[in-house]
Amino acid sequence: MEILDLLRPEVTKPHVDPAARASWLVAVHEAMRSVGGAVVAAAEGPAAGRNHYRLGVETRDGVTGVILLNAAALLVAAAEAADPQEVAMAFVAVPGSKVFSDRGFQVAGPAQLNEPLSERHLHALTADERRDVAYHRPPRLGDLLFNWFD
């Protein structure tokens, strides 16, 4: 599936989905075990200023990062660890990505998420979401899907 196909109304809004969260948490733990890593922080859900779930992880090499879930799109991504207040994330490859795919999640890589945001990404969004984009001006597709809009 193309990441463009996941852009639909309300995908940029905080979406709480207990079933998706539970499946994602199991997948994160399994994926990190499969690559010799570990979960190192509690999961955080969507909240004001964040439309996604995030969970801190550490690789076998001691590199810390976060695994992200946009529950509205069932889309998983990963980013380097940064201050939670930092707006721009440095997207990285999802460790153990096959585990997420096998569980029915879409997995986005850095090349997809770093794609510059353009009008073609916005046509399926609601008018309210397009206003948020005009106001916040996210530069990349990943900043739209894993956003900080208030």
Side-chain angles (χ1 to χ4, degrees):
M1 174 177 277
E2 287 287 322
I3 200 166
L4 197 59
D5 297 333
L6 302 176
L7 295 170
R8 54 182 172 261
E10 303 296 319
V11 75
T12 70
K13 300 295 184 185
H15 183 78
V16 175
D17 184 333
R21 177 188 181 274
S23 182
W24 169 73
L25 284 172
V26 169
V28 171
H29 284 272
E30 184 180 335
M32 293 313 297
R33 280 192 306 272
S34 78
V35 297
V39 171
V40 295
E44 300 173 48
R50 184 178 60 244
N51 76 327
H52 54 277
Y53 291 89
R54 59 187 291 138
L55 184 60
V57 297
E58 185 175 310
T59 67
R60 171 189 354 221
D61 302 330
V63 176
T64 58
V66 290
I67 306 293
L68 310 167
L69 170 66
N70 177 318
L74 294 180
L75 180 66
V76 174
E80 292 177 359
D83 182 325
Q85 303 306 314
E86 181 67 35
V87 173
M89 288 187 270
F91 295 108
V92 298
V94 175
S97 62
K98 184 174 181 334
V99 172
F100 296 99
S101 299
D102 289 348
R103 291 185 172 274
F105 293 101
Q106 299 298 319
V107 177
Q112 295 166 302
L113 297 170
N114 288 323
E115 182 178 330
L117 193 62
S118 68
E119 283 299 316
R120 72 186 185 99
H121 297 121
L122 308 179
H123 75 278
L125 303 181
T126 66
D128 183 50
E129 288 174 297
R130 288 192 299 274
R131 278 190 295 277
D132 280 342
V133 169
Y135 179 78
H136 292 285
R137 298 177 182 242
R140 307 170 298 170
L141 181 56
D143 298 319
L144 177 70
L145 291 165
F146 299 96
N147 72 55
W148 63 92
F149 305 166
D150 49 12

